[in-house]
Every structure is written in structure tokens, then in C-alpha cells.
Amino acid sequence: MGKYLEKVFRLSQYGTNIKTEMIAGITTFVTMAYVLATVPNMLGSAGLNKSAVMTAVILLIVITTCAMAFYTNRPFALAPGLGSTGIVVSMITNEGISPEKAAGVIFLSGILFIAISFLGLREAVVKVIPVSLKHAVSAGIGLFIALLGAKSCGLIAASEKKNCLTFGDLRSPEVILCLIGFCLMLLVKIKNIPGGIILSILITTIAGIALGVTKLPDRIISFPGKMDDIFLNIDIKGALNTAYIPFLIALFIPDFFSTFGTVLGVGAKAGYLDEKGNLPGIERCFQVDAVSTSVGALFGIPSMTTYLESSAGVEAGGKTGLTVIFTGICFLLMLFFSPVVLMIPTAATAPVLIYIGIHMLGAMKNIDYSDMTEYMPAFLCIGFTIFANNIANGICIAIPVYVLMKLISGKVKEIQPVMYIVTAICILYFITLI
């Protein structure tokens, strides 16, 4: 076995060994295990079967992560993106889009990603989307995720009397538990405790027993939940409606640029970058990520993406794909302990969503505030994502405003030709709303 692993993953070439890779893989698992609590709860709130989602998420993590390991020999783990999950939940609950059509939109975003990845158009896409809008989309989705978390536990609620969002019942056990969890989240992050996110979720879940929020399961070990409700429950033809194009863009942009940023960031930490700051074999990473998104759509699961938490494994000494093979094994074992994971209440995962959402707002620091043609469209994107309770609305307002302001200011050369096409699509989107 040792010789086989050496041959496949070239351990000695990277100055590592099986023991180090195993420890690194377990470290990556601990830091990203919170997705098993957050994603099923988020999709469950949209009416999907939580048990089926749990099984699908675990299998997809294992399959796609192992594909990344064998195809690229990089210690990058994949899982459903929380931003993409938030978009899908919004599509189903806020816009009334069926789960089947939502899965179709996810699939099409994956196909777009596949085309770009296998045709070598990555650089072209990176150049087309304005930098300020890339960061604005990330920040807007972050704010949306934070709001989603606050609403899920009742901390923020819609007031029919005031016709606006306001605080919910601050005396409710769910809100109290969420506040406890958020304080724990801040503590573990300030102290930089390894696996802090999952640790705070576990402590909050235990605290929820005393508050009557956490319901103990009848058993600890069980067989994986069936996926009949979600597997191949997809409507690709219905997803081709032009009204869904903004959602397609909203799913594609974060997935594409999140992968781009993550593989470069983690790759730099692992010492993979060349003298020009490029990651050799990055196209392979994009290809795995792209195919994984389309495969995940067949199960109704939002965009599978490379996780930044992979950096924890690299910090622990992981150098090759063997690291995330061990990560996949850890996730696979969780298939038989799903009752324990499913008992985690929404109030225990809400603090994670709030924290991650706030953290994503950090992208705003990269916006050029000295140029109104850059920061105004960016803030419109962020603002209307929340004001209009729809990520697509934010994007479709920002892009035409960006193009218009550049034209008025005489900065025509800064507009990529494709942006005119995207602007036309955004205008068409608003026509369909009217």
C-alpha cells in the first residue's frame, strides 16, 4: 500500500509521508465539517428533505474531493458553497422557483464553468467582469447569508405592522441559543482555535438541550437516508427561461472566482506557485470544480466548490492529494452517524452563517473608493441584494449602471465588449419582471 501511495501521490517528492498526510486530512475535515450541519439546514428550510440532502452532500464531498486528489494531486477539498446554497434557498423560498428548476440553473452554471475551464477561457472571463463588481457580488452574497442566518433562528423577522425587517422575539430559546453560539464563534476565532467552527456548533447544540431547542435522536448510528426525493429531480429545459439568467450569473461568478482565489491562496501557502505567482496545473483544478458543480446539480445540491478550509490541512503539513483522501474517508464515516448531525438545530448553525457572511464583507476593502464609476455600481449591487431581497436584482442593477457611468465619464476603454451583452441581458431580466 505504501508503494502504491508513493507512486500515485509522489510523497517523497513533496517531502511528506502517510502519517503527516493523514493528520493534515483529519485537520481539514474538522475545520470544514460544519457544512454537514449548515447546508442540510439551509436547504431543509426551503422544503428539501434534510436526510436526503445530508446523504447527497456527504457522497458528493467524498467523490469530488477524491477526484481532485487523483486528478490534480493537490490537497484541495470540495463541498457545497454556502453562498451558492443561500442563492438557491432564495430562489425557492423568495422567488417561488421550483427545486427542479433551481437544480437546472445549477446544472447550467456548471456547464458554463465546464466550457470555460476546458476551452481555456479562464483568463478571458477574469478580465471581462470588472474587479469592483467581483468584490461587490462576494460582499452582497455575504450580507445575504448573514441575513439568512439571522432570520433562520428568529433573530430578525418581518414586521407586518412596520412593513420592514426588525428584531424577532429576543426572549425565544432559539434566539438566545443563537446569541450564545455567536459569542462562542467570536471566542474561537479570536483565540484561533483549530476546528473552532465545528467546536462552537457542538457546544451550542449541547447548550440547546437545556433550552429545549435541541432534540436528541432515537439512535446514534443509522443507515444513510435515501435520495429518491432529490436525485435526478431536475428541470433543465425549464431553467432555460431568460428570467433565470441573473441567477445563473449569481451562481457562476462566486463559484468561478471563489475557486480561483482559493486554489491560488492555498496553493501559495503550500508553496506551489511559480516565480510569476501562477499555480501549475490550475486548469485541472478548475475542471474538477466545474464538473463537480454539474454532478451536484443532479442531486439538487448547490455549486460544489474548492473550500478555503483546505488551508488548515496545508498548515498541518499536507502537501499532496493524499491529504484530502483522508478527509474524504472522515466524511464517508459520517454517513452512518447522520442522526447525530441532523439533530443540530438551525439556531446552532445560524451563528456560522452570520459570521461567514460578515467575513465575506471584507471584499469591500478592495473596491476603489476614489472612483465613483467603480464604487457606486458596487454599492448598488450590495444594497439592492438586501433591499430587494434578491441577489439577482443586485447584480442586474449594478451592471447597467457600471456601463452607463463609464460611458458618461468617457471611460469607454474600460468597458469590455461582452459587458454590453450582459447589460442587455440584465435589462431583459427587468422587462420580464415588469
Short mmCIF file of all heavy atoms in Angstrom, two decimals, residues 147-215:
data_model
loop_
_atom_site.label_atom_id
_atom_site.label_comp_id
_atom_site.label_asym_id
_atom_site.label_seq_id
_atom_site.Cartn_x
_atom_site.Cartn_y
_atom_site.Cartn_z
N LEU A 147 -27.94 37.65 6.75
CA LEU A 147 -29.37 37.89 6.98
C LEU A 147 -30.13 36.57 7.02
O LEU A 147 -31.04 36.39 7.85
CB LEU A 147 -29.93 38.77 5.86
CG LEU A 147 -31.44 39.10 5.94
CD1 LEU A 147 -31.78 39.81 7.25
CD2 LEU A 147 -31.87 39.92 4.74
N LEU A 148 -29.75 35.65 6.16
CA LEU A 148 -30.39 34.33 6.14
C LEU A 148 -30.21 33.63 7.48
O LEU A 148 -31.15 33.03 8.02
CB LEU A 148 -29.79 33.49 5.01
CG LEU A 148 -30.47 32.16 4.68
CD1 LEU A 148 -31.85 32.41 4.11
CD2 LEU A 148 -29.63 31.37 3.68
N GLY A 149 -28.99 33.71 8.04
CA GLY A 149 -28.74 33.10 9.34
C GLY A 149 -29.54 33.76 10.44
O GLY A 149 -30.12 33.07 11.30
N ALA A 150 -29.61 35.10 10.43
CA ALA A 150 -30.35 35.83 11.45
C ALA A 150 -31.84 35.53 11.39
O ALA A 150 -32.53 35.43 12.42
CB ALA A 150 -30.10 37.33 11.31
N LYS A 151 -32.36 35.35 10.17
CA LYS A 151 -33.78 35.05 10.00
C LYS A 151 -34.10 33.61 10.39
O LYS A 151 -35.18 33.32 10.92
CB LYS A 151 -34.20 35.30 8.55
CG LYS A 151 -34.27 36.78 8.17
CD LYS A 151 -34.38 36.98 6.66
CE LYS A 151 -35.65 36.42 6.09
NZ LYS A 151 -35.74 36.67 4.63
N SER A 152 -33.16 32.70 10.13
CA SER A 152 -33.42 31.28 10.37
C SER A 152 -33.65 30.94 11.83
O SER A 152 -34.36 29.98 12.15
CB SER A 152 -32.26 30.44 9.82
OG SER A 152 -31.08 30.62 10.59
N CYS A 153 -33.05 31.73 12.72
CA CYS A 153 -33.23 31.45 14.16
C CYS A 153 -34.24 32.40 14.80
O CYS A 153 -34.49 32.31 16.00
CB CYS A 153 -31.89 31.56 14.88
SG CYS A 153 -31.21 33.24 14.90
N GLY A 154 -34.80 33.33 14.03
CA GLY A 154 -35.79 34.25 14.56
C GLY A 154 -35.21 35.54 15.13
O GLY A 154 -35.95 36.36 15.67
N LEU A 155 -33.89 35.74 14.99
CA LEU A 155 -33.28 36.97 15.50
C LEU A 155 -33.79 38.18 14.72
O LEU A 155 -34.05 39.24 15.29
CB LEU A 155 -31.75 36.88 15.37
CG LEU A 155 -30.94 38.12 15.80
CD1 LEU A 155 -31.18 38.44 17.27
CD2 LEU A 155 -29.46 37.90 15.53
N ILE A 156 -33.95 38.01 13.41
CA ILE A 156 -34.54 39.04 12.55
C ILE A 156 -35.81 38.47 11.94
O ILE A 156 -35.84 37.32 11.49
CB ILE A 156 -33.56 39.46 11.43
CG1 ILE A 156 -32.32 40.12 12.02
CG2 ILE A 156 -34.25 40.39 10.45
CD1 ILE A 156 -32.57 41.44 12.72
N ALA A 157 -36.87 39.27 11.95
CA ALA A 157 -38.15 38.82 11.41
C ALA A 157 -38.82 39.95 10.64
O ALA A 157 -38.49 41.13 10.83
CB ALA A 157 -39.05 38.33 12.53
N ALA A 158 -39.75 39.59 9.76
CA ALA A 158 -40.50 40.59 9.01
C ALA A 158 -41.64 41.11 9.88
O ALA A 158 -42.39 40.34 10.48
CB ALA A 158 -41.06 39.97 7.73
N SER A 159 -41.74 42.43 9.97
CA SER A 159 -42.81 43.07 10.75
C SER A 159 -43.90 43.54 9.80
O SER A 159 -43.69 44.45 9.01
CB SER A 159 -42.26 44.25 11.55
OG SER A 159 -43.31 44.96 12.17
N GLU A 160 -45.05 42.92 9.87
CA GLU A 160 -46.17 43.30 9.01
C GLU A 160 -46.68 44.70 9.37
O GLU A 160 -47.08 45.47 8.52
CB GLU A 160 -47.29 42.28 9.16
CG GLU A 160 -48.37 42.42 8.11
CD GLU A 160 -49.36 41.27 8.17
OE1 GLU A 160 -48.96 40.15 8.52
OE2 GLU A 160 -50.54 41.52 7.86
N LYS A 161 -46.61 45.03 10.67
CA LYS A 161 -47.09 46.33 11.15
C LYS A 161 -46.20 47.46 10.66
O LYS A 161 -46.67 48.51 10.21
CB LYS A 161 -47.13 46.32 12.68
CG LYS A 161 -47.68 47.59 13.30
CD LYS A 161 -47.71 47.49 14.81
CE LYS A 161 -48.25 48.77 15.44
NZ LYS A 161 -48.27 48.68 16.93
N LYS A 162 -44.87 47.27 10.75
CA LYS A 162 -43.93 48.31 10.33
C LYS A 162 -43.53 48.20 8.87
O LYS A 162 -42.87 49.06 8.33
CB LYS A 162 -42.66 48.22 11.20
CG LYS A 162 -42.91 48.48 12.68
CD LYS A 162 -41.60 48.39 13.46
CE LYS A 162 -41.82 48.66 14.94
NZ LYS A 162 -40.55 48.56 15.71
N ASN A 163 -43.90 47.09 8.23
CA ASN A 163 -43.57 46.84 6.82
C ASN A 163 -42.06 46.89 6.58
O ASN A 163 -41.57 47.51 5.63
CB ASN A 163 -44.27 47.87 5.92
CG ASN A 163 -44.22 47.44 4.45
OD1 ASN A 163 -44.16 46.25 4.15
ND2 ASN A 163 -44.22 48.40 3.55
N CYS A 164 -41.33 46.22 7.47
CA CYS A 164 -39.87 46.17 7.35
C CYS A 164 -39.34 45.02 8.19
O CYS A 164 -40.10 44.36 8.92
CB CYS A 164 -39.24 47.48 7.78
SG CYS A 164 -39.45 47.82 9.55
N LEU A 165 -38.04 44.77 8.08
CA LEU A 165 -37.40 43.78 8.93
C LEU A 165 -37.12 44.40 10.29
O LEU A 165 -36.76 45.58 10.38
CB LEU A 165 -36.09 43.30 8.30
CG LEU A 165 -36.21 42.48 7.01
CD1 LEU A 165 -34.82 42.15 6.48
CD2 LEU A 165 -37.00 41.20 7.24
N THR A 166 -37.25 43.60 11.33
CA THR A 166 -36.99 44.10 12.68
C THR A 166 -36.54 42.93 13.54
O THR A 166 -36.45 41.78 13.07
CB THR A 166 -38.26 44.73 13.29
OG1 THR A 166 -37.94 45.29 14.56
CG2 THR A 166 -39.37 43.71 13.43
N PHE A 167 -36.21 43.19 14.82
CA PHE A 167 -35.85 42.10 15.71
C PHE A 167 -37.05 41.19 15.94
O PHE A 167 -38.19 41.65 16.01
CB PHE A 167 -35.36 42.63 17.06
CG PHE A 167 -33.94 43.11 17.05
CD1 PHE A 167 -33.61 44.42 17.37
CD2 PHE A 167 -32.91 42.23 16.72
CE1 PHE A 167 -32.30 44.86 17.37
CE2 PHE A 167 -31.59 42.65 16.71
CZ PHE A 167 -31.28 43.98 17.02
N GLY A 168 -36.75 39.88 16.06
CA GLY A 168 -37.79 38.94 16.40
C GLY A 168 -38.01 38.91 17.90
O GLY A 168 -37.70 39.89 18.60
N ASP A 169 -38.49 37.80 18.41
CA ASP A 169 -38.71 37.66 19.85
C ASP A 169 -37.36 37.36 20.51
O ASP A 169 -36.87 36.23 20.46
CB ASP A 169 -39.70 36.53 20.12
CG ASP A 169 -40.00 36.36 21.60
OD1 ASP A 169 -39.48 37.15 22.42
OD2 ASP A 169 -40.75 35.42 21.95
N LEU A 170 -36.77 38.36 21.12
CA LEU A 170 -35.44 38.20 21.72
C LEU A 170 -35.45 37.31 22.95
O LEU A 170 -34.38 36.96 23.47
CB LEU A 170 -34.86 39.58 22.07
CG LEU A 170 -34.68 40.54 20.88
CD1 LEU A 170 -34.08 41.86 21.36
CD2 LEU A 170 -33.79 39.92 19.81
N ARG A 171 -36.62 36.95 23.43
CA ARG A 171 -36.72 36.07 24.59
C ARG A 171 -36.85 34.61 24.20
O ARG A 171 -36.83 33.73 25.07
CB ARG A 171 -37.92 36.48 25.47
CG ARG A 171 -37.84 37.89 26.05
CD ARG A 171 -39.17 38.28 26.68
NE ARG A 171 -40.22 38.32 25.67
CZ ARG A 171 -41.50 38.59 25.94
NH1 ARG A 171 -41.88 38.83 27.19
NH2 ARG A 171 -42.41 38.60 24.97
N SER A 172 -37.01 34.33 22.91
CA SER A 172 -37.21 32.95 22.48
C SER A 172 -35.94 32.13 22.68
O SER A 172 -34.83 32.65 22.54
CB SER A 172 -37.63 32.91 21.00
OG SER A 172 -36.52 33.23 20.17
N PRO A 173 -36.10 30.84 23.00
CA PRO A 173 -34.93 29.97 23.22
C PRO A 173 -34.01 29.91 22.00
O PRO A 173 -32.79 29.85 22.15
CB PRO A 173 -35.56 28.60 23.50
CG PRO A 173 -36.93 28.90 23.98
CD PRO A 173 -37.36 30.13 23.23
N GLU A 174 -34.59 29.95 20.80
CA GLU A 174 -33.79 29.87 19.57
C GLU A 174 -32.88 31.09 19.43
O GLU A 174 -31.70 30.95 19.08
CB GLU A 174 -34.71 29.77 18.34
CG GLU A 174 -35.43 28.46 18.19
CD GLU A 174 -36.67 28.34 19.07
OE1 GLU A 174 -37.05 29.36 19.70
OE2 GLU A 174 -37.25 27.25 19.14
N VAL A 175 -33.42 32.27 19.71
CA VAL A 175 -32.62 33.49 19.60
C VAL A 175 -31.53 33.51 20.67
O VAL A 175 -30.37 33.86 20.39
CB VAL A 175 -33.51 34.75 19.74
CG1 VAL A 175 -32.65 36.00 19.84
CG2 VAL A 175 -34.46 34.85 18.55
N ILE A 176 -31.88 33.12 21.88
CA ILE A 176 -30.90 33.08 22.97
C ILE A 176 -29.77 32.11 22.63
O ILE A 176 -28.59 32.42 22.83
CB ILE A 176 -31.58 32.67 24.30
CG1 ILE A 176 -32.55 33.76 24.75
CG2 ILE A 176 -30.53 32.40 25.39
CD1 ILE A 176 -33.40 33.38 25.95
N LEU A 177 -30.14 30.95 22.08
CA LEU A 177 -29.13 29.95 21.71
C LEU A 177 -28.24 30.49 20.59
O LEU A 177 -27.02 30.28 20.60
CB LEU A 177 -29.81 28.66 21.27
CG LEU A 177 -28.89 27.47 20.97
CD1 LEU A 177 -28.13 27.07 22.23
CD2 LEU A 177 -29.68 26.27 20.44
N CYS A 178 -28.83 31.19 19.63
CA CYS A 178 -28.05 31.78 18.53
C CYS A 178 -27.03 32.79 19.07
O CYS A 178 -25.88 32.80 18.64
CB CYS A 178 -28.98 32.46 17.54
SG CYS A 178 -28.12 33.37 16.23
N LEU A 179 -27.45 33.62 20.02
CA LEU A 179 -26.55 34.63 20.59
C LEU A 179 -25.41 33.97 21.36
O LEU A 179 -24.26 34.42 21.31
CB LEU A 179 -27.34 35.58 21.49
CG LEU A 179 -28.39 36.44 20.77
CD1 LEU A 179 -29.17 37.27 21.77
CD2 LEU A 179 -27.72 37.34 19.74
N ILE A 180 -25.74 32.87 22.07
CA ILE A 180 -24.70 32.11 22.77
C ILE A 180 -23.69 31.56 21.76
O ILE A 180 -22.47 31.66 21.94
CB ILE A 180 -25.31 30.95 23.58
CG1 ILE A 180 -26.14 31.49 24.75
CG2 ILE A 180 -24.23 29.99 24.10
CD1 ILE A 180 -26.93 30.44 25.49
N GLY A 181 -24.22 31.00 20.67
CA GLY A 181 -23.37 30.43 19.64
C GLY A 181 -22.50 31.47 18.96
O GLY A 181 -21.33 31.20 18.65
N PHE A 182 -23.05 32.65 18.74
CA PHE A 182 -22.28 33.71 18.08
C PHE A 182 -21.13 34.18 18.98
O PHE A 182 -20.02 34.43 18.51
CB PHE A 182 -23.18 34.89 17.72
CG PHE A 182 -22.51 35.91 16.85
CD1 PHE A 182 -22.18 35.62 15.53
CD2 PHE A 182 -22.19 37.17 17.34
CE1 PHE A 182 -21.55 36.55 14.72
CE2 PHE A 182 -21.55 38.11 16.54
CZ PHE A 182 -21.23 37.80 15.23
N CYS A 183 -21.39 34.28 20.28
CA CYS A 183 -20.33 34.67 21.22
C CYS A 183 -19.22 33.61 21.23
O CYS A 183 -18.03 33.95 21.27
CB CYS A 183 -20.90 34.85 22.63
SG CYS A 183 -21.97 36.30 22.80
N LEU A 184 -19.62 32.34 21.19
CA LEU A 184 -18.65 31.25 21.13
C LEU A 184 -17.84 31.33 19.83
O LEU A 184 -16.62 31.11 19.82
CB LEU A 184 -19.36 29.90 21.22
CG LEU A 184 -19.83 29.46 22.60
CD1 LEU A 184 -20.70 28.21 22.49
CD2 LEU A 184 -18.62 29.17 23.50
N MET A 185 -18.55 31.65 18.74
CA MET A 185 -17.90 31.75 17.44
C MET A 185 -16.82 32.83 17.47
O MET A 185 -15.69 32.64 17.00
CB MET A 185 -18.94 32.09 16.37
CG MET A 185 -18.39 32.27 14.98
SD MET A 185 -17.80 30.73 14.25
CE MET A 185 -19.31 29.80 14.25
N LEU A 186 -17.14 33.97 18.05
CA LEU A 186 -16.15 35.06 18.16
C LEU A 186 -14.97 34.64 19.02
O LEU A 186 -13.82 34.95 18.71
CB LEU A 186 -16.82 36.31 18.74
CG LEU A 186 -17.91 36.97 17.89
CD1 LEU A 186 -18.49 38.18 18.61
CD2 LEU A 186 -17.37 37.37 16.52
N LEU A 187 -15.26 33.92 20.09
CA LEU A 187 -14.21 33.47 21.01
C LEU A 187 -13.23 32.54 20.31
O LEU A 187 -12.00 32.75 20.39
CB LEU A 187 -14.84 32.76 22.22
CG LEU A 187 -13.85 32.15 23.23
CD1 LEU A 187 -13.03 33.25 23.89
CD2 LEU A 187 -14.59 31.34 24.29
N VAL A 188 -13.74 31.52 19.63
CA VAL A 188 -12.83 30.55 18.99
C VAL A 188 -12.05 31.19 17.84
O VAL A 188 -10.91 30.79 17.56
CB VAL A 188 -13.60 29.30 18.48
CG1 VAL A 188 -14.27 28.59 19.64
CG2 VAL A 188 -14.63 29.67 17.42
N LYS A 189 -12.64 32.20 17.19
CA LYS A 189 -11.94 32.86 16.10
C LYS A 189 -10.85 33.79 16.63
O LYS A 189 -9.76 33.87 16.07
CB LYS A 189 -12.94 33.63 15.23
CG LYS A 189 -13.73 32.73 14.29
CD LYS A 189 -12.80 32.02 13.33
CE LYS A 189 -13.51 31.07 12.41
NZ LYS A 189 -12.56 30.37 11.50
N ILE A 190 -11.18 34.52 17.70
CA ILE A 190 -10.18 35.42 18.29
C ILE A 190 -9.00 34.63 18.83
O ILE A 190 -7.84 35.02 18.68
CB ILE A 190 -10.82 36.26 19.41
CG1 ILE A 190 -11.80 37.28 18.80
CG2 ILE A 190 -9.75 37.00 20.21
CD1 ILE A 190 -12.62 38.03 19.83
N LYS A 191 -9.29 33.48 19.45
CA LYS A 191 -8.25 32.62 20.01
C LYS A 191 -7.60 31.72 18.95
O LYS A 191 -6.65 31.01 19.25
CB LYS A 191 -8.83 31.75 21.13
CG LYS A 191 -9.31 32.54 22.35
CD LYS A 191 -8.15 33.22 23.05
CE LYS A 191 -8.60 33.92 24.33
NZ LYS A 191 -7.48 34.61 25.01
N ASN A 192 -8.17 31.75 17.73
CA ASN A 192 -7.63 30.96 16.62
C ASN A 192 -7.55 29.48 16.98
O ASN A 192 -6.53 28.81 16.75
CB ASN A 192 -6.25 31.48 16.20
CG ASN A 192 -5.86 31.02 14.80
OD1 ASN A 192 -6.73 30.75 13.97
ND2 ASN A 192 -4.57 30.93 14.56
N ILE A 193 -8.62 28.95 17.54
CA ILE A 193 -8.68 27.55 17.96
C ILE A 193 -8.92 26.66 16.75
O ILE A 193 -9.87 26.89 15.99
CB ILE A 193 -9.80 27.34 18.99
CG1 ILE A 193 -9.53 28.18 20.24
CG2 ILE A 193 -9.95 25.86 19.36
CD1 ILE A 193 -10.65 28.16 21.26
N PRO A 194 -8.07 25.64 16.50
CA PRO A 194 -8.27 24.74 15.37
C PRO A 194 -9.64 24.07 15.42
O PRO A 194 -10.07 23.60 16.47
CB PRO A 194 -7.14 23.71 15.54
CG PRO A 194 -6.10 24.43 16.35
CD PRO A 194 -6.86 25.32 17.28
N GLY A 195 -10.32 24.01 14.28
CA GLY A 195 -11.65 23.40 14.25
C GLY A 195 -12.66 24.18 15.06
O GLY A 195 -13.66 23.63 15.52
N GLY A 196 -12.43 25.49 15.22
CA GLY A 196 -13.26 26.33 16.08
C GLY A 196 -14.71 26.38 15.66
O GLY A 196 -15.61 26.42 16.51
N ILE A 197 -14.99 26.38 14.35
CA ILE A 197 -16.37 26.49 13.88
C ILE A 197 -17.19 25.29 14.31
O ILE A 197 -18.27 25.43 14.89
CB ILE A 197 -16.40 26.66 12.34
CG1 ILE A 197 -15.83 28.01 11.94
CG2 ILE A 197 -17.84 26.53 11.82
CD1 ILE A 197 -15.82 28.27 10.44
N ILE A 198 -16.68 24.08 14.03
CA ILE A 198 -17.44 22.88 14.40
C ILE A 198 -17.52 22.75 15.92
O ILE A 198 -18.52 22.29 16.46
CB ILE A 198 -16.81 21.61 13.76
CG1 ILE A 198 -17.74 20.41 13.91
CG2 ILE A 198 -15.46 21.31 14.34
CD1 ILE A 198 -19.05 20.54 13.20
N LEU A 199 -16.48 23.19 16.64
CA LEU A 199 -16.49 23.15 18.10
C LEU A 199 -17.59 24.04 18.66
O LEU A 199 -18.33 23.64 19.57
CB LEU A 199 -15.13 23.59 18.65
CG LEU A 199 -14.98 23.58 20.18
CD1 LEU A 199 -15.16 22.17 20.72
CD2 LEU A 199 -13.60 24.13 20.58
N SER A 200 -17.73 25.24 18.11
CA SER A 200 -18.76 26.16 18.59
C SER A 200 -20.16 25.62 18.28
O SER A 200 -21.09 25.78 19.08
CB SER A 200 -18.58 27.55 17.97
OG SER A 200 -18.81 27.52 16.58
N ILE A 201 -20.31 24.95 17.13
CA ILE A 201 -21.60 24.36 16.78
C ILE A 201 -21.96 23.25 17.77
O ILE A 201 -23.10 23.15 18.24
CB ILE A 201 -21.58 23.79 15.34
CG1 ILE A 201 -21.52 24.93 14.32
CG2 ILE A 201 -22.81 22.93 15.08
CD1 ILE A 201 -21.40 24.47 12.88
N LEU A 202 -20.97 22.41 18.11
CA LEU A 202 -21.22 21.31 19.03
C LEU A 202 -21.59 21.82 20.42
O LEU A 202 -22.55 21.32 21.04
CB LEU A 202 -19.98 20.40 19.11
CG LEU A 202 -19.62 19.63 17.83
CD1 LEU A 202 -18.32 18.85 18.02
CD2 LEU A 202 -20.76 18.68 17.47
N ILE A 203 -20.85 22.80 20.92
CA ILE A 203 -21.15 23.35 22.26
C ILE A 203 -22.52 24.01 22.27
O ILE A 203 -23.31 23.85 23.22
CB ILE A 203 -20.06 24.37 22.68
CG1 ILE A 203 -18.71 23.66 22.84
CG2 ILE A 203 -20.45 25.07 23.98
CD1 ILE A 203 -17.56 24.59 23.13
N THR A 204 -22.83 24.74 21.20
CA THR A 204 -24.14 25.40 21.11
C THR A 204 -25.26 24.37 21.05
O THR A 204 -26.32 24.55 21.66
CB THR A 204 -24.20 26.30 19.86
OG1 THR A 204 -23.10 27.21 19.87
CG2 THR A 204 -25.49 27.09 19.82
N THR A 205 -25.03 23.29 20.31
CA THR A 205 -26.03 22.22 20.22
C THR A 205 -26.29 21.60 21.58
O THR A 205 -27.45 21.34 21.96
CB THR A 205 -25.56 21.13 19.24
OG1 THR A 205 -25.39 21.71 17.94
CG2 THR A 205 -26.56 19.99 19.16
N ILE A 206 -25.23 21.35 22.35
CA ILE A 206 -25.38 20.79 23.70
C ILE A 206 -26.13 21.76 24.61
O ILE A 206 -27.02 21.36 25.37
CB ILE A 206 -23.99 20.46 24.29
CG1 ILE A 206 -23.32 19.33 23.49
CG2 ILE A 206 -24.11 20.06 25.77
CD1 ILE A 206 -21.88 19.07 23.85
N ALA A 207 -25.80 23.06 24.48
CA ALA A 207 -26.50 24.07 25.28
C ALA A 207 -27.97 24.11 24.92
O ALA A 207 -28.83 24.41 25.76
CB ALA A 207 -25.85 25.44 25.05
N GLY A 208 -28.27 23.77 23.67
CA GLY A 208 -29.67 23.78 23.21
C GLY A 208 -30.52 22.71 23.86
O GLY A 208 -31.76 22.82 23.87
N ILE A 209 -29.89 21.68 24.40
CA ILE A 209 -30.66 20.62 25.09
C ILE A 209 -31.36 21.21 26.31
O ILE A 209 -32.55 20.97 26.55
CB ILE A 209 -29.73 19.46 25.51
CG1 ILE A 209 -29.11 18.80 24.26
CG2 ILE A 209 -30.50 18.42 26.33
CD1 ILE A 209 -28.07 17.74 24.59
N ALA A 210 -30.62 22.01 27.10
CA ALA A 210 -31.18 22.63 28.30
C ALA A 210 -32.28 23.63 27.96
O ALA A 210 -33.24 23.82 28.72
CB ALA A 210 -30.07 23.33 29.08
N LEU A 211 -32.16 24.27 26.76
CA LEU A 211 -33.16 25.27 26.36
C LEU A 211 -34.35 24.64 25.63
O LEU A 211 -35.31 25.33 25.27
CB LEU A 211 -32.50 26.31 25.45
CG LEU A 211 -31.46 27.23 26.12
CD1 LEU A 211 -30.76 28.08 25.07
CD2 LEU A 211 -32.14 28.12 27.16
N GLY A 212 -34.27 23.35 25.40
CA GLY A 212 -35.37 22.66 24.73
C GLY A 212 -35.37 22.85 23.22
O GLY A 212 -36.36 22.54 22.56
N VAL A 213 -34.28 23.35 22.67
CA VAL A 213 -34.18 23.57 21.23
C VAL A 213 -33.63 22.34 20.52
O VAL A 213 -34.10 21.96 19.45
CB VAL A 213 -33.30 24.81 20.92
CG1 VAL A 213 -33.18 25.02 19.42
CG2 VAL A 213 -33.88 26.05 21.58
N THR A 214 -32.62 21.73 21.12
CA THR A 214 -32.00 20.53 20.54
C THR A 214 -32.81 19.29 20.94
O THR A 214 -33.04 19.04 22.12
CB THR A 214 -30.56 20.37 21.03
OG1 THR A 214 -29.80 21.53 20.68
CG2 THR A 214 -29.91 19.14 20.40
N LYS A 215 -33.24 18.55 19.94
CA LYS A 215 -33.99 17.31 20.18
C LYS A 215 -33.06 16.12 19.99
O LYS A 215 -32.51 15.93 18.91
CB LYS A 215 -35.17 17.21 19.22
CG LYS A 215 -36.07 18.45 19.18
CD LYS A 215 -36.71 18.73 20.53
CE LYS A 215 -37.61 19.97 20.46
NZ LYS A 215 -38.15 20.33 21.78
#
